[in-house]
Amino acid sequence: MTNIIRRSHGYQLDHIGLGVPNTEDGVKWVEEQTGAKVDLHDPEPDQFYWSGSLAIGEESFLEIIGPNPNYKKFQPFAALIKSLSEPQLLFWYIAVTDFQAFKTLARQTKSKLERVEGVNIESGEGVQASYWRGLIGPGFLSERPNVIEWLKRPDRESLDTPVCKLTDFRLVNPQADQINDVFGKLGIDVPVSKGASSIGMTIDTPNGPWSLENEGVRWTMPSMLLRVAELWWRTRN
């Protein structure tokens, strides 16, 4: 029924997004916490974000994502991460082998797959990465995953020989029953517990087990519009 990839750490989880208000500072903080080297990438052309990656299993990583200082336009997500007072887990991705098949399944089960786009990242040396992606809606909720099909993964040597390993991934939401029902229809076997909204992880690192957990982010209409307006106003004043 599903073509979701299970990674070497045992989870249907491709990567986790850790939002930071400053990418370089965030990368240094993660290195201090883990004792592991983070790959800091060049900002992608014309993108609002700048990120680094820490391998947490073969072909699986923690993405440390902050604003691109060279991007001057207003972008809601960039404004959100700029406003963070400390690093915060924001999102997670599952990887599939056939994005269009997953999209069809989502439509057949009346699940919402939103913000679908194909992305090609190029440099002077050609295509560096290529993928399809979307998110399971409605709206944005940390406890629901984004979905990606890698057509070409970026070259990351650390992903082949990770020194860190994800050992636990935790999701909590007041509407856990509804979310788990959607997950079951889509073949997602990452359970959500019932309780106050949160997203958490534990990783084995050279410095020992490292755990992070925080309240999840929820962006839905009309609250999303109010939050975007608030963030826009802050950037203007």
Side-chain angles (χ1 to χ4, degrees):
M1 181 181 69
T2 182
N3 58 4
I4 302 172
I5 300 171
R6 187 176 299 278
R7 297 301 187 191
S8 61
H9 43 55
Y11 288 89
Q12 285 180 327
L13 196 151
D14 186 80
H15 63 280
I16 306 170
L18 176 69
V20 295
N22 179 285
T23 304
E24 290 179 303
D25 290 344
V27 164
K28 291 177 182 177
W29 180 77
V30 171
E31 289 180 335
E32 291 170 356
Q33 299 299 310
T34 63
K37 179 66 176 175
V38 173
D39 293 323
L40 180 59
H41 326 307
D42 292 332
E44 296 175 9
D46 301 320
Q47 290 292 337
F48 63 86
Y49 58 86
W50 183 20
S51 67
S53 59
L54 173 69
I56 55 175
E58 188 176 357
E59 295 191 336
S60 185
F61 59 96
L62 176 69
E63 181 179 19
I64 301 94
I65 182 168
N68 180 355
N70 297 320
Y71 188 87
K72 303 303 181 184
K73 301 176 185 177
F74 175 78
Q75 206 287 335
F77 189 81
L80 169 66
I81 50 182
K82 279 182 182 179
S83 71
L84 295 176
S85 59
E86 59 185 4
Q88 182 174 346
L89 297 175
L90 298 176
F91 59 83
W92 57 291
Y93 271 79
I94 56 174
V96 297
T97 58
D98 188 332
F99 186 88
Q100 299 307 321
F102 188 91
K103 181 180 176 182
T104 298
L105 176 62
R107 184 173 62 250
Q108 291 172 345
T109 58
K110 294 182 171 55
S111 305
K112 290 184 177 292
L113 193 60
E114 302 178 344
R115 302 184 192 178
V116 172
E117 62 176 342
V119 178
N120 287 294
I121 300 170
E122 301 184 16
S123 70
E125 300 176 352
V127 176
Q128 300 299 302
S130 179
Y131 50 85
W132 282 98
R133 70 180 174 189
L135 64 84
I136 298 175
F140 176 83
L141 180 68
S142 291
E143 293 88 82
R144 291 193 300 252
N146 295 262
V147 183
I148 191 167
E149 179 192 357
W150 292 102
L151 305 176
K152 176 178 172 52
R153 291 179 68 92
D155 294 327
R156 304 279 188 254
E157 291 185 7
S158 63
L159 293 183
D160 298 325
T161 56
V163 299
C164 298
K165 183 179 180 180
L166 180 73
T167 59
D168 190 31
F169 183 62
R170 305 174 294 279
L171 300 168
V172 185
N173 187 273
Q175 283 77 48
D177 292 343
Q178 295 94 314
I179 296 175
N180 285 325
D181 181 61
V182 172
F183 283 11
K185 293 174 181 177
L186 296 176
I188 301 171
D189 67 4
V190 183
V192 181
S193 301
K194 183 170 285 188
S197 173
S198 69
I199 177 173
M201 67 175 189
T202 299
I203 298 173
D204 274 349
T205 79
N207 286 350
W210 179 49
S211 293
L212 275 179
E213 190 153 3
N214 54 253
E215 182 180 357
V217 175
R218 181 181 181 88
W219 276 21
T220 56
M221 299 294 187
S223 61
M224 183 178 72
L225 294 177
L226 293 174
R227 179 63 170 151
V228 168
E230 176 191 352
L231 292 170
W232 177 83
W233 181 255
R234 286 184 185 181
T235 64
R236 302 282 293 181
N237 293 275

